C-alpha cells in the first residue's frame, strides 16, 4: 500500500476513534461523573506518554519557558476544558447532537480570528457563518422554534457548545506554539498542565466527589478515552497530516459527525430525527462556504 493510502487510512482511523469518544462519553454518562472520567482519562494518557516524551520536553524546555503563560492557557483550553465540558454535556444531550456541534469548529475559528486578531472575513465566509449558526439553532431548539422563545434549551447542548468554543480558541491560539518545538514535547506539556488543573478540581471534591467505580465497563471506558482517543488518534492524525498536508487532512474532520452519529444509532440506540438532518445540512453547507478557497481568475494568454 502506498504511503498516501496509508495516510488516508490513518486520517480515517483518527476520526473514527475521536467519534467513539462522543459515544463512550454518552454511554457511561450515568456511571462515571464527567470530571472523574476526564481526570482518570488524562492520568492514564500521561502515564503512557511520559516515558517516551519526557526527554523531548527537556530538550525543548528552553523554547517553552519564555512563553509558559501562553502554554498554560493552551493546556487549560485543550486538556482541562474541552473534554470535561464535553462529558458534562453528554450527560443530557445525545452523542449525535454533540458531534454535529463539534463540526462547527472551523466556522467558529474564522469568527474568533476576526474578533481577536482582526483577520478579514470575506462576504462568502460571513454568509457561511450565518448559515451554520442557523444549523446550530435548529439543533438547540430540536426543530421547534418555540423552544427558543420559551428558553427551554438543553443544558447539555450549552456545555457542548462551551467545549466547542474552548477547542476553537485553542486551535486559534496554536500560533503561540514555539517554532521548532517537537509535537511530542508540546502534547506532553499540554497534558501536564491540563492534568494539574483537573487534579486541583477533582481531588478536593469541589465540583464532584464521585470516585471511579472499578467495574469492567468503567475501566474500559477510561482506557478507550485515555489511550486510543488521546494517544493513538493523535499519532494517526499527525502521520496523516505529514503525508498529505494540512489542507487535505482537514477535509477528513467532516467524517467525525458521520461516524459519531452512526455509532450512536448502532450502539446507543439513538433515533435520528429530521432536525438532525436539517441541522447537519445547514452546518455542513455553512462550513463549506466558510473554508472554501477563493478561486483565482483564469488568465487566457493571447497567441
Amino acid at each position: 500500500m502506498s504511503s498516501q493510502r496509508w495516510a488516508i487510512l490513518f486520517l480515517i482511523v483518527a476520526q473514527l476513534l475521536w467519534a467513539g469518544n462522543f459515544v463512550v462519553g454518552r454511554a457511561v454518562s450515568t456511571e462515571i461523573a464527567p470530571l472523574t472520567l476526564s481526570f482518570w482519562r488524562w492520568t492514564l494518557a500521561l502515564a503512557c506518554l511520559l516515558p517516551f516524551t519526557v526527554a523531548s520536553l527537556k530538550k525543548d524546555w528552553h523554547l517553552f519557558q519564555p512563553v509558559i503563560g501562553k502554554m498554560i492557557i493552551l493546556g487549560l483550553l485543550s486538556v482541562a476544558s474541552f473534554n470535561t465540558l464535553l462529558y458534562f454535556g453528554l450527560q443530557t444531550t445525545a452523542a449525535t447532537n454533540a458531534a454535529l456541534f463539534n463540526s462547527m469548529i472551523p466556522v467558529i475559528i474564522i469568527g474568533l480570528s476576526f474578533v481577536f486578531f482582526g483577520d478579514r472575513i470575506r462576504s462568502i465566509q460571513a454568509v457561511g457563518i450565518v448559515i451554520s449558526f442557523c444549523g446550530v439553532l435548529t439543533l438547540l431548539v430540536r426543530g421547534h422554534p418555540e423552544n427558543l422563545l420559551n428558553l427551554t434549551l438543553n443544558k447539555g447542548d450549552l456545555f457542548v457548545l462551551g467545549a466547542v468554543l474552548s477547542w476553537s480558541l485553542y486551535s486559534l491560539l496554536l500560533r503561540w506554539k514555539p517554532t521548532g518545538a517537537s509535537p511530542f514535547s508540546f502534547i506532553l506539556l499540554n497534558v501536564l498542565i491540563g492534568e494539574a488543573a483537573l487534579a486541583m478540581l477533582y481531588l478536593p471534591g469541589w465540583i464532584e466527589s464521585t470516585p471511579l467505580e472499578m467495574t469492567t465497563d468503567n475501566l474500559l471506558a477510561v482506557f478507550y478515552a485515555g489511550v486510543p482517543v488521546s494517544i493513538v488518534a493523535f499519532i494517526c492524525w499527525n502521520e496523516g497530516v505529514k503525508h498529505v498536508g494540512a489542507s487535505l487532512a482537514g477535509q477528513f474532520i467532516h467524517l467525525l459527525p458521520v461516524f459519531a452519529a452512526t455509532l450512536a444509532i448502532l450502539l446507543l440506540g439513538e433515533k435520528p430525527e429530521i432536525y438532525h438532518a436539517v441541522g447537519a445540512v445547514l452546518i455542513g453547507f455553512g462550513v463549506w462556504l466558510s473554508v472554501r478557497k477563493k478561486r483565482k481568475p483564469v488568465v487566457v494568454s493571447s497567441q
Side-chain angles (χ1 to χ4, degrees):
M1 187 181 292
S2 67
S3 60
Q4 185 167 14
R5 289 182 178 178
W6 274 113
I8 291 173
L9 179 61
F10 285 145
L11 292 170
I12 293 173
V13 169
Q15 298 307 316
L16 183 59
L17 292 174
W18 282 329
N21 187 42
F22 288 79
V23 177
V24 168
R26 176 63 176 167
V28 300
S29 59
T30 59
E31 303 298 325
I32 309 179
L35 188 56
T36 301
L37 177 56
S38 192
F39 172 78
W40 287 111
R41 164 199 174 164
W42 288 111
T43 299
L44 177 60
L46 181 59
C48 295
L49 282 171
L50 201 59
F52 304 100
T53 56
V54 65
S56 179
L57 180 57
K58 288 180 179 178
K59 179 181 177 183
D60 291 343
W61 181 246
H62 70 285
L63 299 173
F64 293 118
Q65 197 169 9
V67 291
I68 192 62
K70 293 179 178 179
M71 294 303 100
I72 290 173
I73 292 174
L74 290 177
L76 294 178
L77 287 172
S78 56
V79 173
S81 297
F82 173 72
N83 292 280
T84 307
L85 290 171
L86 175 63
Y87 294 146
F88 270 106
L90 287 169
Q91 287 190 308
T92 52
T93 197
T96 301
N97 265 32
L100 290 174
F101 286 135
N102 195 76
S103 63
M104 270 284 292
I105 287 176
V107 170
I108 295 176
I109 291 174
I110 292 172
L112 291 176
S113 67
F114 169 75
V115 172
F116 289 101
F117 297 105
D119 293 350
R120 179 174 172 267
I121 296 181
R122 293 184 288 120
S123 56
I124 193 67
Q125 290 178 318
V127 172
I129 290 172
V130 171
I131 293 174
S132 292
F133 182 69
C134 290
V136 170
L137 283 180
T138 301
L139 295 174
L140 281 173
V141 302
R142 303 297 196 268
H144 298 286
E146 63 271 17
N147 287 343
L148 184 60
L149 297 175
N150 298 328
L151 297 179
T152 55
L153 300 179
N154 188 317
K155 182 175 66 175
D157 289 341
L158 299 181
F159 272 118
V160 174
L161 284 175
V164 167
L165 180 60
S166 177
W167 188 261
S168 299
L169 276 170
Y170 167 76
S171 302
L172 179 67
L173 298 177
L174 274 175
R175 61 185 74 191
W176 287 348
K177 177 178 177 289
T179 303
S182 161
F184 294 103
S185 63
F186 180 66
I187 188 63
L188 177 59
L189 182 59
N190 270 264
V191 174
L192 284 169
I193 292 168
E195 177 69 355
L198 290 171
M200 287 189 288
L201 293 174
Y202 173 71
L203 295 178
W206 291 336
I207 296 177
E208 62 188 40
S209 56
T210 309
L212 178 66
E213 294 186 18
M214 299 297 178
T215 65
T216 301
D217 288 346
N218 287 355
L219 292 177
L220 286 174
V222 171
F223 172 79
Y224 179 80
V227 180
V229 174
S230 303
I231 299 176
V232 178
F234 172 78
I235 294 173
C236 287
W237 177 256
N238 278 358
E239 284 300 305
V241 172
K242 183 171 71 175
H243 286 92
V244 304
S247 297
L248 178 56
Q251 303 307 311
F252 285 81
I253 294 175
H254 302 304
L255 290 175
L256 190 150
V258 177
F259 287 153
T262 303
L263 290 172
I265 292 168
L266 294 176
L267 302 178
L268 302 179
E270 290 188 3
K271 182 182 177 182
E273 303 285 353
I274 294 297
Y275 72 82
H276 285 138
V278 174
V281 169
L282 289 172
I283 291 174
F285 183 56
V287 170
W288 179 76
L289 286 177
S290 299
V291 302
R292 67 194 292 261
K293 293 183 178 179
K294 186 177 182 180
R295 290 185 178 181
K296 295 181 179 179
V298 178
V299 178
V300 181
S301 59
S302 57
Q303 295 294 324

